Amino acid sequence: MSFKIGIVGLPNVGKSTLFEAITKNQVEAENYPFCTIDPNIGTVKVPDDRVQKLAEITGSDRAVNTTVEFVDIAGLVKGAHEGKGLGNKFLSNIRKVDAVVQVLRDFEDPDIAHVEGSIDLERDKDIIDIELIMADLQMTEKALKRIQDERETKENEFKLKTLKKIKKFLEGEKLISQLELTEKEREAIKELDFLTDKPIIYLKNVDKPSENSDFLEINAKIESELADFSPEEARDYLRSYNIKERGLEKLIRESYQALDLVSFFTSEEKESRAWTVKRGTKAPVAGGRIHSDFQDNFIRAEVVSYEDFVRYGGWVGAKKEGAVRDKGRDYQVKDGDVIFFKTEQS
């Protein structure tokens, strides 16, 4: 399962141009047989030089990066929560993603009219935030009514209390992600999948990115052009604009940080591969990302850091130097772990 990142924004902000750049870089479907690629989804390799290095050390037949899915969601307009534009369809599409990239226009183009008549990042950001807040408020009110109509239980009583707390916060035009909630409260509202509780990455679509900006900045037009270039041509092109790194790589990295994801690796003769899990994921669950048997029949995990795997030249050298550690069910996988899962069958 890939993590899904939704790309949203007002019309004519360059959102579709950005998505075009992403889909030009999507992986071939046959390399990832468990991914279903819809027309509005681009499945993209997560840049990570460590995978190729592991493959070289182990002599793997192939190196496989982990992936992330970007979902192009139709442009939002003011009043979407009331059904304007694509209305509820737009909002339901956002509910299906793990994080949201909000594209904000910060470029001038006389041939492309701004839906609000002028360039104003804070205004545009507020329009989208308010639409998401109002949609969550509507959902909260519906959930409150539904639970109030159900029989009284301690569980429902707690849900009502939590939802009333959220309703009051939303009425103050604030995102749920800014509200302090206990683990029990979060569990109570988990099934509602609130829009404003998702991580949001604010991305400025600019004429010329700045390396020193506090914002994530991308020139979507340049990114689209780069997608047709070879790696060497892309480097030369970026150098001409005094840009050190592709915006797409920055976006993927920011998305990983927003979702608090880590990558671990498996490295054998057949393949070296990166896998993605949430930070804090325990070893059996991480093994389940590879195959259900690794979770159901888990015995232990042999773990070595990427640095030690490289330093000692692979599994044999790392074991000889005592760098491989046996970890049990409670071990939390860390970024850069190279893991061999031991099961009842292995």
Side-chain angles (χ1 to χ4, degrees), residues 143 146-147 155-163 166 182-194:
R146 184 180 69 251
I147 295 171
E155 181 182 354
N156 280 348
E157 185 179 338
F158 183 78
K159 280 186 179 181
L160 282 172
K161 183 179 178 181
T162 304
L163 286 170
I166 289 171
T182 66
E183 188 174 334
K184 186 178 178 182
E185 287 172 330
R186 288 203 166 276
E187 187 62 31
I189 64 167
K190 185 178 179 180
E191 63 182 24
L192 295 174
D193 203 16
F194 283 115

Side-chain angles (χ1 to χ4, degrees), residues 4-8 15 38 40-41 69-76 85-101 132 135 139 193-195 198:
K4 287 186 171 65
I5 313 294
I7 304 176
V8 305
K15 181 178 60 65
D38 293 326
N40 64 332
I41 297 178
E69 291 183 350
F70 285 93
V71 185
D72 185 24
I73 298 172
L76 178 150
L86 288 179
N88 293 331
K89 182 179 180 182
F90 168 88
L91 297 168
S92 66
N93 285 336
I94 302 180
R95 294 197 191 282
K96 298 173 184 177
V97 304
D98 300 294
V100 174
V101 174
L132 302 184
M139 175 172 277
D193 203 16
F194 283 115
L195 299 174
K198 299 178 185 294

Side-chain angles (χ1 to χ4, degrees), residues 52-65:
Q52 187 61 45
K53 184 64 176 179
L54 290 173
E56 291 171 3
I57 291 172
T58 306
S60 306
D61 292 337
R62 62 176 184 165
V64 184
N65 290 53

Side-chain angles (χ1 to χ4, degrees), residues 43 55 86 98 105 127 173 197-198 252 263 328:
T43 302
L86 288 179
D98 300 294
R105 178 172 170 175
I127 288 174
E173 297 187 349
D197 200 28
K198 299 178 185 294
I252 292 173
S263 291

Side-chain angles (χ1 to χ4, degrees), residues 61-318:
D61 292 337
R62 62 176 184 165
V64 184
N65 290 53
T66 189
T67 63
V68 63
E69 291 183 350
F70 285 93
V71 185
D72 185 24
I73 298 172
L76 178 150
V77 297
K78 189 184 296 185
H81 70 280
E82 298 173 335
K84 293 182 180 179
L86 288 179
N88 293 331
K89 182 179 180 182
F90 168 88
L91 297 168
S92 66
N93 285 336
I94 302 180
R95 294 197 191 282
K96 298 173 184 177
V97 304
D98 300 294
V100 174
V101 174
Q102 190 181 127
V103 181
L104 300 166
R105 178 172 170 175
D106 195 23
F107 66 90
E108 295 286 352
D109 190 331
D111 296 325
I112 303 176
H114 192 292
V115 68
E116 293 295 322
S118 63
I119 305 298
D120 187 330
L121 271 72
E122 286 301 319
R123 179 202 58 210
D124 295 353
K125 174 181 173 294
D126 288 345
I127 288 174
I128 296 176
D129 284 348
I130 290 298
E131 290 303 324
L132 302 184
I133 288 168
M134 294 305 294
D136 276 352
L137 185 56
Q138 288 178 352
M139 175 172 277
T140 303
E141 291 168 345
K142 289 178 181 178
L144 280 168
K145 186 177 186 307
R146 184 180 69 251
I147 295 171
Q148 286 168 343
D149 291 341
E150 294 176 357
R151 67 187 182 88
E152 291 185 13
T153 64
K154 286 187 177 180
E155 181 182 354
N156 280 348
E157 185 179 338
F158 183 78
K159 280 186 179 181
L160 282 172
K161 183 179 178 181
T162 304
L163 286 170
K164 287 177 181 178
K165 177 179 177 179
I166 289 171
K167 182 175 183 289
K168 183 178 180 181
F169 197 75
L170 289 169
E171 287 173 339
E173 297 187 349
K174 297 178 182 178
L175 308 175
I176 294 175
S177 59
Q178 299 169 345
L179 175 62
E180 288 189 16
L181 293 170
T182 66
E183 188 174 334
K184 186 178 178 182
E185 287 172 330
R186 288 203 166 276
E187 187 62 31
I189 64 167
K190 185 178 179 180
E191 63 182 24
L192 295 174
D193 203 16
F194 283 115
L195 299 174
T196 65
D197 200 28
K198 299 178 185 294
I200 298 178
I201 300 164
Y202 295 101
L203 183 154
K204 286 167 61 176
N205 186 11
V206 299
D207 290 311
K208 184 178 179 180
S210 168
E211 293 293 335
N212 301 316
S213 174
D214 292 333
F215 259 91
L216 175 59
E217 295 185 348
I218 287 180
N219 182 310
K221 186 178 179 181
I222 290 178
E223 292 300 318
S224 183
E225 293 170 351
L226 283 171
D228 293 323
F229 291 177
S230 69
E232 294 76 18
E233 290 172 332
R235 279 195 294 271
D236 290 341
Y237 192 84
L238 287 172
R239 197 176 296 119
S240 71
Y241 282 91
N242 198 30
I243 300 172
K244 297 178 181 178
E245 182 182 24
R246 283 201 60 181
L248 183 56
E249 294 179 1
K250 291 182 182 179
L251 175 56
I252 292 173
R253 187 169 60 246
E254 288 274 347
S255 300
Y256 258 55
Q257 291 174 356
L259 288 168
D260 201 19
L261 304 178
V262 298
S263 291
F264 72 92
F265 307 96
T266 52
S267 188
E268 299 176 325
E269 186 175 325
K270 183 178 179 181
E271 72 172 23
S272 290
R273 182 186 284 256
W275 307 87
T276 303
V277 293
K278 285 275 191 182
R279 191 180 305 278
T281 296
K282 294 185 178 180
V285 178
R289 288 279 289 112
I290 302 169
H291 196 286
S292 59
D293 284 350
F294 288 2
Q295 181 170 356
D296 297 340
N297 301 307
F298 179 89
I299 293 179
R300 71 178 188 275
E302 294 182 353
V303 182
V304 56
S305 70
Y306 168 79
E307 290 76 16
D308 282 345
F309 194 94
V310 173
R311 182 181 296 116
Y312 301 123
W315 284 111
V316 175

